[in-house]
């Protein structure tokens, strides 16, 4: 039957009061639409009209979204959430031993993103006033911590570790407080495997391990692509830990929030670790420390360094 004969048949049937439905098929044989052939204008229940773009794709609606686009199925379903909200997603860890990846914006800070208010202490490193710079044996008695390994230029603090294990560390002891928030902007070029770059909270009572320790940024990976957190607690120096995958050779804003209920770590404003275990809570005031620690691995050691642009301290109020 040709198109003319089909049209004549439809006209005859309609004249006799018969309702005719015209099924329209797409290029792939799929049902594209149903067109009433009589006086009615509504498709039968369960069949909806759908217009196609070239290639058979559903047309966009006025808002630019796909019309009648089915939701992804299985693991592809996604859920939007507000920054800092609950839920499992890349870049969030709870408890210990979890590897994560985050994509935080380089310029974001936890203070701005989570509304921490004005800092109570700030250092933009015009000089080293206010810091207690270590002068003595290095970590676990290895190498030496010396003021000679610390320098400030153009508002950047640099700690350098040499091939002999001469390096440095420094403490912000005047800012001791129990609970609070600390944040620092750090970058560390790829290094020798023997050097760890750290931001940490240390007990002001100098009663480690009972007084605890929160290493909220410890770069152990020499490529500086993975960063760890270690929360030390108890008389036997027990620990919980986590890690995050992010490029630490770029400027990043590392932060910790310590409350009576939890310890939370952030990078570029995005949470990547949290523990609510009450047994790991430090028992007293703590202060911020910056350290480049030497863990000798043997063999030749190449010079390594870490750089700090600024640090800030906040109360919980």
């Amino acid at each position: 039957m040709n198109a003319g004969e089909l049209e004549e048949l439809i006209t005859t049937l309609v004249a006799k009061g018969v309702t005719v439905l015209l099924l329209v098929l797409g290029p792939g044989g799929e049902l594209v639409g149903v067109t009433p052939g009589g006086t009615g204008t509504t498709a039968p229940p369960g069949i909806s009209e759908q217009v196609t773009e070239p290639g058979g794709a559903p047309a966009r609606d006025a808002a630019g979204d796909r019309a009648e686009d089915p939701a992804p199925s299985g693991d592809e379903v996604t859920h939007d959430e507000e920054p800092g909200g609950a839920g499992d997603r890349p870049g969030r860890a709870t408890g210990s031993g979890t590897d994560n990846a985050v994509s935080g914006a380089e310029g974001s800070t936890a203070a701005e993103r989570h509304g921490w208010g004005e800092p109570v202490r700030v250092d933009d490193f015009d000089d080293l006033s206010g810091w207690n710079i270590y002068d003595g044996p290095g970590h676990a008695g290895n190498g030496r911590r010396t003021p000679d390994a610390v320098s400030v230029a153009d508002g950047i603090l640099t700690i350098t570790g040499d091939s002999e294990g001469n390096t440095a560390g420094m403490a912000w002891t005047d800012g001791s407080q129990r609970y609070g928030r600390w944040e620092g902007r750090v970058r560390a070029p790829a290094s020798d495997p023997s050097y760890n770059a750290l931001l940490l909270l240390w007990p002001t009572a100098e009663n480690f391990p009972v007084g605890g320790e929160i290493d909220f940024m410890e770069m152990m990976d020499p490529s500086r692509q993975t960063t760890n957190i270690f929360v030390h607690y108890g008389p036997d120096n027990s620990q919980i830990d986590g890690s995050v995958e992010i490029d630490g050779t770029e400027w990043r804003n590392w932060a910790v929030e310590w409350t009576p209920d939890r310890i939370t770590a952030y990078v570029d404003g995005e949470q990547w670790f949290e523990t609510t275990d009450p047994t790991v809570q430090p028992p007293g005031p703590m202060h911020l420390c910056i350290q480049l620690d030497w863990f000798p691995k043997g063999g030749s050691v190449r010079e390594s360094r870490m750089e700090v642009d600024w640090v800030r301290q906040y109360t919980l109020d």
Side-chain angles (χ1 to χ4, degrees):
M1 180 180 294
N2 59 34
E5 291 172 334
L6 178 60
E7 182 179 359
E8 183 179 352
L9 175 60
I10 292 173
T11 302
T12 301
L13 292 173
V14 170
K16 293 181 179 181
V18 177
T19 299
V20 178
L21 297 179
L22 181 61
L23 304 180
V24 182
L25 301 180
E30 72 276 14
L31 179 64
V32 173
V34 181
T35 303
T39 57
T41 58
T42 304
I47 302 178
S48 61
E49 293 192 54
Q50 190 175 45
V51 182
T52 63
E53 297 173 333
R60 296 182 185 277
D61 62 16
D65 296 324
R66 293 289 187 185
E68 301 296 327
D69 222 9
S73 61
D75 293 337
E76 294 179 348
V77 175
T78 59
H79 303 276
D80 293 333
E81 62 178 58
E82 292 296 320
D88 295 330
R89 60 187 171 126
R92 184 180 301 277
T94 302
S96 62
T98 305
D99 293 326
N100 304 277
V102 302
S103 56
E106 182 182 326
S108 300
T109 68
E112 293 170 340
R113 189 166 181 178
H114 302 286
W116 290 354
E118 293 298 317
V120 294
R121 297 192 80 199
V122 174
D123 198 334
D124 293 318
F125 294 110
D126 296 321
D127 54 44
L128 292 172
S129 61
W131 291 88
N132 175 21
I133 302 174
Y134 312 158
D135 190 5
H139 179 269
N142 296 311
R144 184 169 182 80
R145 289 167 168 159
T146 169
D148 295 338
V150 183
S151 63
V152 169
D154 300 321
I156 303 296
L157 165 75
T158 301
I159 299 179
T160 302
D162 67 15
S163 60
E164 302 298 322
N166 294 304
T167 184
M170 48 201 290
W172 220 11
T173 51
D174 290 344
S176 297
Q177 61 187 45
R178 189 175 187 186
Y179 310 126
R181 301 160 174 135
W182 291 259
E183 189 161 24
R185 185 166 176 79
V186 179
R187 71 178 175 186
S191 76
D192 189 87
S194 61
Y195 277 109
N196 292 7
L198 295 97
L199 294 180
L200 63 99
L201 300 183
W202 182 258
T204 303
E206 296 290 342
N207 59 341
F208 178 85
V210 174
E213 177 182 353
I214 304 174
D215 306 314
F216 63 95
M217 184 212 81
E218 182 160 2
M219 296 183 184
M220 306 169 63
D221 171 19
S223 70
R224 305 315 196 203
Q225 300 302 303
T226 299
T227 296
N228 294 77
I229 182 171
F230 294 94
V231 180
H232 301 250
Y233 66 97
D236 58 351
N237 190 22
S238 298
Q239 303 173 33
I240 61 172
D241 66 281
S243 64
V244 61
E245 295 178 7
I246 196 168
D247 186 359
T249 68
E250 302 291 336
W251 285 112
R252 300 292 179 186
N253 303 322
W254 299 92
V256 63
E257 183 175 30
W258 171 32
T259 77
D261 304 315
R262 58 188 172 85
I263 297 169
T264 308
Y266 304 87
V267 59
D268 289 338
E270 186 171 353
Q271 177 182 319
W272 63 274
F273 173 91
E274 182 171 87
T275 178
T276 57
D277 184 350
T279 65
V280 309
Q281 281 279 342
M286 307 188 87
H287 57 265
L288 178 69
C289 298
I290 305 171
Q291 297 174 190
L292 183 65
D293 285 348
W294 193 46
F295 294 79
K297 303 290 193 298
S300 60
V301 178
R302 65 184 173 112
E303 184 177 278
S304 304
R305 72 179 190 276
M306 66 179 293
E307 300 173 341
V308 186
D309 187 10
W310 49 256
V311 291
R312 297 167 185 165
Q313 181 176 331
Y314 304 79
T315 65
L316 295 183
D317 299 330

